[in-house]
Amino acid sequence: NNLSGEPGSASALFDAAGRHARLVHLDMADNLLPTECIKDLCTMLRWSLSLVAIHLLGDNASDKNNLAIQAACHRWIAENAGKEVGADGSLSIPEPEEGDEYKELILCRALHVEGLKEWRVASPAAKPSAPEPRASAAQGYKEPVLTSWMPACCWICERCVAVDYTWEVPDNGDGDETGAGNARVFVRPSCADFARVELKRLRVAGARRLQFGARMLVPSGSHYHVYEAEVGHRKTLYCAASEPKIEIAEAALTESQSEEFDKMRMKHRYSGPLNVRPVSSEDFQIPEDFPVFGPPPEPEADAWAEHPMRTRALMECYKEDMKSICFQDLCHADEEPDVKGTLQEKYHLYYECYALFAGRSQWPLVRQVDMYSVFEEASLLDRGPFGPPAKPGSPSAGRGRQSNAGDEADEEASWPPLQLMDVQQMLVQTVTNRMEDAATTRAPTTRSGKQAAEVARKSREGAPVTRPQFIEVLLRAAIALRRREPSTALAFRRFAD
């Protein structure tokens, strides 16, 4: 307070504030500031890690200095916002309304709200720009789209609260088209005079429905909003069924809000209710840690793969499949615990392969003729000289050339070939249940009985394979391709990866 207007005091204060690690709100209004401190002021704005609100000027004793400092702040904010500079070096800078040139200047940002992390002039409000002439009547007026919103004041002094607006796509009914890939969703809050604020698609782990959301700084009080869906050229207003609602006649809107809302609902022919959102100043808080640069991006996780319902369903399928797989044909009895542990860990990969080919074939079964496609698409099937060439970079691309005795790298990089007879033999071994046949079927003695048994055997061998049989065929292929790997469990893991 009571700064003398000399360059030294203001510059020293700006320098100290820019270096402070915990200073959030700086009120220097109604103090004389010289133009020599502009450089230090811009340096503070650039390098401060904690400041989110600054009050300046407001003293009419030095009008020229006020105008110069205000113009410098507008220019610095415009340059850092990425506005285009003209060929002559000019920059389009918003001007205050007439009579507001000497009012208190408030600079704000909100580091905890996406879209409000950059400095902006909150007050005085900029003079509205003249509307650009339309090229044609058919082109129409393009309404500006915001990514977030904050009031034209100091959000700390007014104790504004960060409010999340979320649209959840319903399963059916009004608004279910917002789940389309080209859909855009907006919220129109009354506190922003029903301006369009676009909601972004949210990535929520474990969510059952698609969600759109945005965060805004909202003053205390009761606020109203509707959602707007844009799918192609169609625009529709919706009231969220999962949020509190109120009839239009009961909404306490200001005169400007009522005027904007009437224009909007007449344009979209909307007569439904409004969603209401009460905001209390008691919920106001200044975050302790501002993510200035943001945390390092975490690797995207497959939310569906981690869903407990899917994990439980996979484990139930795994237990059922283990009852039908003949492990005595695949591994030694001492290896069976390790083999089952490996299959439990990699079961989702084997199941995804089964689901892919069963969906193409005869779900939930897989025709035997489609089993050859499994190995052919993985480039593990050698069709001989008349078959298609191996894909470049595929595991079997190096099988067609002769390898030298010392060329171990090429040998390890390629799988040994599988012939058509190998795949057929694995299918026969899997589908034919020899133990059950030997225990329950008596050998026929008559000629007709032998013929009937032969027909039944061939029908059984040519029948579509089930899910456990499909996985067992893959396991037999893993054993055939394990090369020098002595461990069956490691061979299954290597084949799945």
Side-chain angles (χ1 to χ4, degrees):
N1 294 328
N2 250 350
L3 295 184
S4 62
E6 297 297 325
S9 57
S11 297
L13 184 56
F14 287 144
D15 181 68
R19 298 173 184 273
H20 203 286
R22 306 293 295 176
L23 182 63
V24 175
H25 185 244
L26 178 61
D27 189 350
M28 293 181 61
D30 298 325
N31 278 284
L32 295 175
L33 298 178
T35 55
E36 290 81 1
C37 70
I38 291 178
K39 182 178 179 181
D40 299 288
L41 172 60
C42 295
T43 302
M44 178 187 68
L45 294 176
R46 180 181 299 277
W47 296 111
S48 175
L49 300 179
S50 58
L51 273 174
V52 295
I54 304 172
H55 298 249
L56 300 171
L57 309 180
D59 191 294
N60 296 336
S62 180
D63 298 342
K64 293 183 179 179
N65 287 353
N66 280 14
L67 292 176
I69 293 174
Q70 186 175 117
C73 291
H74 275 287
R75 183 176 184 85
W76 185 89
I77 290 174
E79 289 175 349
N80 285 269
K83 292 191 176 181
E84 296 183 359
V85 181
D88 56 349
S90 61
L91 186 67
S92 177
I93 299 175
E95 299 179 356
E97 290 276 10
E98 186 177 354
D100 292 347
E101 298 91 345
Y102 312 114
K103 285 187 176 180
E104 179 180 335
L105 181 67
I106 301 177
L107 308 179
C108 284
R109 62 177 177 175
L111 296 175
H112 61 299
V113 178
E114 193 68 32
L116 301 178
K117 296 183 178 182
E118 301 297 331
W119 285 107
R120 63 189 63 211
V121 177
S123 178
K127 183 189 303 183
S129 57
E132 298 181 359
R134 291 181 293 177
S136 63
Q139 182 178 355
Y141 168 69
K142 291 185 178 180
E143 189 174 0
V145 177
L146 308 178
T147 57
S148 186
W149 181 85
M150 67 185 303
C153 61
C154 176
W155 66 272
I156 292 183
C157 295
E158 296 297 325
R159 301 177 65 82
C160 296
V161 180
V163 176
D164 292 318
Y165 289 88
T166 305
W167 169 261
E168 189 174 67
V169 179
D171 293 334
N172 49 53
D174 294 339
D176 58 352
E177 74 275 8
T178 54
N182 62 337
R184 299 174 66 187
V185 181
F186 308 86
V187 64
R188 290 180 173 268
S190 61
C191 55
D193 285 340
F194 294 100
R196 291 181 98 196
V197 182
E198 185 167 9
L199 307 182
K200 294 183 178 180
R201 290 176 181 257
L202 302 179
R203 185 183 295 273
V204 182
R208 302 295 301 275
R209 296 183 179 90
L210 178 62
Q211 296 180 7
F212 296 79
R215 175 174 292 184
M216 289 178 271
L217 284 176
V218 180
S220 59
S222 293
H223 304 284
Y224 312 94
H225 63 276
V226 289
Y227 295 96
E228 178 183 346
E230 180 179 335
V231 183
H233 298 287
R234 181 185 177 188
K235 300 177 182 179
T236 313
L237 296 182
Y238 292 111
C239 177
S242 59
E243 300 180 13
K245 61 186 70 175
I246 190 173
E247 295 298 327
I248 297 177
E250 301 176 5
L253 299 175
T254 64
E255 184 177 351
S256 61
Q257 292 172 354
S258 297
E259 182 179 353
E260 293 297 329
F261 181 69
D262 289 340
K263 292 180 182 178
M264 180 182 63
R265 69 170 180 168
M266 289 180 63
K267 178 181 177 181
H268 296 279
R269 299 179 181 179
Y270 179 75
S271 59
L274 292 169
N275 290 121
V276 60
R277 175 70 67 89
V279 178
S280 174
S281 59
E282 296 180 357
D283 298 329
F284 166 78
Q285 62 177 356
I286 301 175
E288 290 288 334
D289 298 316
F290 289 112
V292 179
F293 302 104
E298 298 181 358
E300 295 186 359
D302 187 355
W304 172 238
E306 298 176 354
H307 198 285
M309 183 180 297
R310 182 177 188 267
T311 304
R312 184 168 57 252
L314 277 176
M315 287 301 100
E316 291 176 357
C317 293
Y318 165 78
K319 293 177 182 178
E320 291 298 322
D321 291 349
M322 293 304 103
K323 299 176 182 177
S324 303
I325 295 177
C326 299
F327 283 100
Q328 62 270 24
D329 293 348
L330 302 176
C331 64
H332 194 272
D334 296 338
E335 288 185 298
E336 189 169 332
D338 294 337
V339 167
K340 288 186 176 180
T342 301
L343 288 179
Q344 183 176 0
E345 180 184 350
K346 299 294 182 180
Y347 181 77
H348 65 285
L349 298 177
Y350 286 100
Y351 183 89
E352 287 173 3
C353 182
Y354 154 75
L356 177 64
F357 287 93
R360 300 178 186 177
S361 184
Q362 190 179 347
W363 179 270
L365 304 176
V366 181
R367 294 188 296 265
Q368 291 197 23
V369 68
D370 295 326
M371 289 297 299
Y372 296 92
S373 301
V374 179
F375 302 96
E376 187 174 1
E377 293 194 16
S379 298
L380 296 175
L381 185 62
D382 187 1
R383 289 291 192 126
F386 301 103
K391 300 175 182 179
S394 63
S396 60
R399 292 199 298 260
R401 66 176 185 270
Q402 290 289 343
S403 299
N404 297 327
D407 195 2
E408 297 181 358
D410 289 342
E411 186 180 356
E412 289 298 327
S414 63
W415 297 85
L418 283 177
Q419 305 292 334
L420 289 173
M421 291 299 297
D422 297 332
V423 179
Q424 183 180 1
Q425 185 67 19
M426 289 188 292
L427 285 170
V428 172
Q429 292 174 350
T430 302
V431 174
T432 305
N433 196 335
R434 298 181 303 276
M435 295 181 60
E436 183 179 354
D437 289 345
T440 60
T441 305
R442 296 175 57 184
T445 56
T446 62
R447 182 177 178 181
S448 60
K450 291 180 180 180
Q451 291 178 347
E454 183 67 15
V455 171
R457 184 185 64 82
K458 291 183 178 181
S459 299
R460 188 165 53 250
E461 291 179 359
V465 298
T466 61
R467 186 182 68 231
Q469 293 172 340
F470 181 94
I471 295 178
E472 185 173 340
V473 171
L474 296 184
L475 298 180
R476 291 180 182 274
I479 295 175
L481 298 172
R482 68 177 177 180
R483 302 176 64 81
R484 301 189 184 93
E485 179 58 60
S487 171
T488 306
L490 291 179
F492 291 170
R493 181 187 300 275
R494 177 171 175 254
F495 183 80
D497 293 338

